[in-house]
Structure formats: C-alpha cells, structure tokens
Amino acid sequence: MAEHFHVNTPLLECMGMSKRLGTTVYLKMENSQPSGSFKIRGIGHLCQQLARQSKGVVCSSGGNAGVATAYVARKMGVPSTIIIPSSSPQLVVQRLQDEGATVKIVGKVWDDANAEALRLAEAEGLTYIPPFDHPLLWQGHASVITEVAASLGPGVKPGAVLVSVGGGGLLCGVIQGLKNVAWMDVPVVAMETVGADSFNAAVKAGTLVTLDDITSEAKCLGAKTVCKQAFEYSQSSELNIISELVTDQQALQAVQTFLDEERVLVEMACGAALAAVYSGLIGRLQDEGRLPTLLGPLVVIVCGGSSINMEQLSSLKHKLHI
C-alpha cells in the first residue's frame, strides 16, 4: 500500500503577486493534490492510522474533506459515506459519487451534516472522519510546511505564511509544521471571509464563538465554531498569528484575478488567502507595522477546492455583482 496518499506539490514563484508586493511570493499548489485540495494530507494520515480495519468511514463535509475521504477510502478498499449540507454545489455531489461514495444531504450548514455523521458512526459502527478537528489531521497537514522548507532550501525562511481558515485544521497543521522545522517566529496570516469568520470572532472575543449562521458564499469556510486548538494557538505568546477578513467580493475577485494571471481556478475559500495579496491587505499590515516593511519571501498556501467550475464561478459573480 502507498506510503501516503498525498503528493509533494509544487512551490511556484508567482511573478504577478511578487510584482504587486515588491517581495518574492511563492505559491504552494495544494490544488494539484489528487483530491483537489490540501485535505488529503491529514485525512490520508488519519485513515491510515484509524480506518485500516474499518467496515466503512463516514465524513461530514462542505466538499473538500469529503472528496479527500472518498478518494482515500476508495484507494484503501473501504466503503465511504459522505454527509454534506444542502449549501454544497451539485458538482461536489457528482465528484463524490465518481469516487464511489454514498452521498447524503443533511441540513443547511456543515454543523447539521456533522451531527448526522456522528449519529451514523455510532448507529452503524462506522469510523468517523472529522474534517478539521483532530491531532492526526494536523500531523498530516504539517507535511505542507516540511515540503516548503525543503523546496526553499537551507537558510531561507518565509517572511510570512498566508492561509485560509475554515474549521482551523489547515491552520493547526501549518503551525505544527512551523514547529517541526523550527520556524515558530514566522508570522501566519489567517484569512477568512466576512460571514464565515468563526476564528476572527473568537480572536476578537478572547473565547470560542459560535456564529448564528454562515452568511458567506465561501461555503467551504463555513464552520460555525473554529476548532479549539486553532483558538488556543491564537492566544499563544510564542506565535504570531494575524487574523484578518476580506469580503466575499474581494475573495471572488481574487479567484478571478488568479484565474486570469496564473490560469488556475480555485474556490472562494482559497480566494480568501489570495485576496490578502490582491486586495492590498499585506501592504496595509506592513504600513501598520504588523508585518515587516522588508518582508522575506511570502508563502501562500493555495488550498485548492473541488466546489468550483466555470458555471459555479459565473453564478457567484452574478450573485455578488462582480
């Protein structure tokens, strides 16, 4: 059996973004994973540890965790059931079915789908695959930073790492990865969209916050409560985590600009991180003294996403008046 299910993704220098910022920008292309997103790192690792003897796995997902789980389960020869909220686009359902998963649509947001996944796991003796809140996931996701360090080579350290936050799994993995390569002093810019901002709300309140609803179109960022570990990291004096928000319009505009300049289509959840560069937010953080004026190379985690195609992009542009 394969050592792991993810691939070592390219770290590409991005001329367009580098020119905008006046510092080198590298893109960690997680969109080129077999499942279309970074999720396969952690989920592959967790399934290998917990699901080898399983009679089936069940995962709740807005899309990407589900696709990763279905892919890994198919490779392991284990049946998969994926519970998604009604907010997930039809193309996600199709992608999951193509991977051989049984798909159930439950509730309006991820939290509803998750309650059903936990119930099914209990009732049918299935292995529950959490989409973001588990130490094995973070351990798997940490490999993204190990690869960045290897690609940059000895003696080169990023000026900052840019990452989108939904439930906080990738953020926890990135921080674990920074610890693994002794880069604890590298700032992490954690990006969310307004309306899917459970991490930012928690950072502002100084305690975990549960949002009333997910009102952002970046449905894959839609966890009403961020995982506790992500919040605890935000409170740590050893780490520099900068939590920032962009609007849905800015995230979608970033998706469009990225498509035009880099010829790569990613979903809005990923656009949140890209928007930090395109919308001038990084420049503002430098002006405010929250990031150094002379910034070392910026690493953007292009987390990818399976819930986007041209039709979906057009419909979002129409909805958000772009």
Side-chain angles (χ1 to χ4, degrees):
M1 192 169 102
E3 175 73 328
H4 38 60
F5 298 100
H6 67 268
V7 299
N8 187 333
T9 54
L11 185 73
L12 306 177
E13 190 177 339
C14 178
M15 294 318 292
M17 285 188 174
S18 300
K19 222 165 72 184
R20 271 187 173 83
L21 277 189
T23 185
T24 312
V25 176
Y26 289 105
L27 305 171
K28 184 61 171 156
M29 301 297 279
E30 287 298 287
N31 57 300
S32 58
Q33 288 293 359
S35 69
S37 86
F38 75 93
K39 291 276 189 186
I40 192 165
R41 290 179 184 274
I43 284 174
H45 182 61
L46 180 128
C47 286
Q48 278 185 318
Q49 304 290 321
L50 302 183
R52 279 172 186 254
Q53 308 303 318
S54 178
K55 64 179 218 183
V57 295
V58 60
C59 177
S60 54
S61 170
N64 294 313
V67 175
T69 301
Y71 174 88
V72 169
R74 177 171 66 80
K75 289 288 186 195
M76 290 175 74
V78 171
S80 64
T81 303
I82 312 297
I83 320 280
I84 59 174
S86 59
S87 57
S88 309
Q90 182 54 40
L91 72 125
V92 171
V93 177
Q94 191 53 55
R95 183 94 199 262
L96 289 165
Q97 288 169 339
D98 289 348
E99 287 290 355
T102 302
V103 183
K104 295 188 173 174
I105 298 170
V106 177
K108 184 164 130 1
V109 295
W110 171 79
D111 302 72
D112 306 331
N114 192 47
E116 173 62 14
L118 288 165
R119 189 195 68 73
L120 258 187
E122 184 69 23
E124 298 184 14
L126 304 175
T127 305
Y128 169 72
I129 307 297
F132 55 81
D133 196 355
H134 197 288
L136 287 172
L137 293 177
W138 313 329
Q139 228 173 26
H141 296 332
S143 59
V144 76
I145 296 295
T146 319
E147 285 174 21
V148 168
S151 298
L152 289 177
V156 184
K157 189 190 272 198
V161 176
L162 235 75
V163 61
S164 294
V165 178
L170 180 57
L171 177 63
C172 290
V174 162
I175 289 163
Q176 183 143 11
L178 293 174
K179 286 183 176 176
N180 294 351
V181 299
W183 282 353
M184 294 278 283
D185 55 338
V186 172
V188 178
V189 183
M191 298 299 302
E192 292 170 291
T193 49
V194 174
D197 47 2
S198 59
F199 180 64
N200 187 265
V203 170
K204 282 183 179 148
T207 181
L208 280 174
V209 170
T210 299
L211 304 176
D212 293 334
D213 195 12
I214 301 299
T215 54
S216 167
E217 288 301 325
K219 299 301 177 198
C220 286
L221 294 182
K224 291 202 285 192
T225 319
V226 77
C227 71
K228 186 160 163 274
Q229 182 63 69
F231 169 69
E232 282 171 6
Y233 280 144
S234 77
Q235 303 298 295
S236 160
S237 57
E238 288 173 26
L239 297 164
N240 181 4
I241 301 175
I242 301 168
S243 167
E244 288 288 333
L245 302 178
V246 286
T247 62
D248 273 1
Q249 281 80 4
Q250 287 172 314
L252 188 61
Q253 196 59 65
V255 167
Q256 182 66 58
T257 307
F258 196 64
L259 179 60
D260 292 342
E261 292 189 1
E262 307 305 322
R263 303 161 306 285
V264 175
L265 180 60
V266 293
E267 66 185 32
M268 266 180 73
C270 183
L274 301 171
V277 176
Y278 291 137
S279 73
L281 184 119
I282 295 292
R284 193 193 76 198
L285 291 174
Q286 288 175 294
D287 294 343
E288 291 171 2
R290 295 168 70 200
L291 281 177
T293 319
L294 280 170
L295 196 57
L298 199 68
V299 173
V300 184
I301 310 246
V302 182
C303 52
S306 48
S307 67
I308 190 87
N309 57 16
M310 289 311 282
E311 192 186 334
Q312 190 69 13
L313 181 63
S314 305
S315 123
L316 284 166
K317 283 165 78 166
H318 181 74
K319 222 179 208 176
L320 296 171
H321 310 293
I322 286 182

